[in-house]
Amino acid sequence: MSVMRRWLAEALTFWRRSSDDNLHWRLSRQDDLVQLRREQALAEQELVAELKKRSQQLAHELALNKARNQNELAMLKTRCRQDLQDYQQYLQSLDKLKDSLCRSYGHLPEAVAFTIHHHAKQLLNRMWETDEPQQKLQIEMQLLQFMTAVHEDSRASLQSDTAEGLPQRALACIDADFENQIG
């Protein structure tokens, strides 16, 4: 039994030495552990402060963007209302132009007057629907030239003694637009 006792004594000594070494190691590292915990707490506080700061910045940016978007939306709505008014005025003007044509050319078949009116409305709609500024301007110039031609035809018809002709300039513009679309 003495071997067993020696073996147990050695095991117990080993275990005590290990525990003592572990305790000494922990005691020697206690300051480092305290320092590490302090640094971790400070880092967490800095992180919380940084997150609060960023959260406030984001909230501020969101508020600015919301205000900016609301202003842009209000301006866009105003522009759209104005565009709609302009469009309605254009349509009224085209209706007056058609009426003027019918008065100037009493013998003119109603279908021709409607064709001229319809062509002007098509130009107006194409101008309104295009998003390219250059193309919009080009179509607007076509519409202006067409309306000028119709007006000149009406004025020439009213000034002449015989109102038996056709609105040649307007029909020539329609023909030219038709040729441009085909070719």
Side-chain angles (χ1 to χ4, degrees):
M1 190 110 144
S2 111
V3 174
M4 180 82 128
R5 199 177 265 178
R6 220 179 320 145
W7 184 79
L8 280 174
E10 283 178 17
L12 187 57
T13 304
F14 175 76
W15 180 73
R16 285 182 185 155
R17 204 177 307 129
S18 285
S19 292
D20 288 346
D21 286 346
N22 188 19
L23 181 60
H24 288 299
W25 183 85
R26 284 183 180 224
L27 287 174
S28 70
R29 299 288 181 229
Q30 179 99 17
D31 292 338
D32 292 342
L33 188 59
V34 168
Q35 181 65 26
L36 183 62
R37 285 186 180 149
R38 274 190 203 133
E39 289 174 1
Q40 184 179 9
L42 286 174
E44 286 175 359
Q45 287 175 352
E46 288 176 8
L47 183 60
V48 166
E50 181 66 26
L51 287 174
K52 283 182 182 178
K53 180 181 170 185
R54 286 200 179 170
S55 175
Q56 288 173 346
Q57 286 175 340
L58 286 174
H60 178 69
E61 287 177 21
L62 283 173
L64 284 176
N65 283 338
K66 183 178 179 182
R68 191 176 301 126
N69 288 341
Q70 286 175 342
N71 287 339
E72 287 177 10
L73 179 63
M75 286 175 23
L76 185 61
K77 284 181 178 179
T78 301
R79 243 185 273 138
C80 285
R81 274 194 296 273
Q82 184 61 47
D83 283 350
L84 185 60
Q85 271 183 335
D86 292 348
Y87 185 76
Q88 289 171 338
Q89 288 174 347
Y90 263 115
L91 287 176
Q92 289 171 357
S93 175
L94 292 179
D95 287 342
K96 288 178 186 176
L97 201 61
K98 180 181 72 170
D99 293 342
S100 172
L101 244 173
C102 289
R103 278 193 311 274
S104 299
Y105 294 93
H107 68 285
L108 190 66
E110 197 172 324
V112 174
F114 279 120
T115 299
I116 292 171
H117 181 259
H118 179 71
H119 182 72
K121 277 180 44 177
Q122 281 182 329
L123 286 172
L124 177 64
N125 289 336
R126 280 187 14 220
M127 178 184 80
W128 228 259
E129 291 167 357
T130 187
D131 291 329
E132 281 187 45
Q134 187 67 25
Q135 189 177 10
K136 189 178 213 89
L137 185 61
Q138 183 181 6
I139 297 170
E140 189 172 13
M141 288 306 297
Q142 283 179 308
L143 179 60
L144 182 62
Q145 290 171 351
F146 181 70
M147 291 176 72
T148 302
V150 172
H151 177 71
E152 288 175 355
D153 282 342
S154 292
R155 192 172 44 121
S157 174
L158 288 174
Q159 289 176 352
S160 73
D161 292 337
T162 60
E164 294 180 17
L166 291 175
Q168 294 297 325
R169 291 181 186 108
L171 295 174
C173 285
I174 293 173
D175 187 47
D177 285 347
F178 179 71
E179 291 296 323
N180 287 337
Q181 287 180 0
I182 291 177

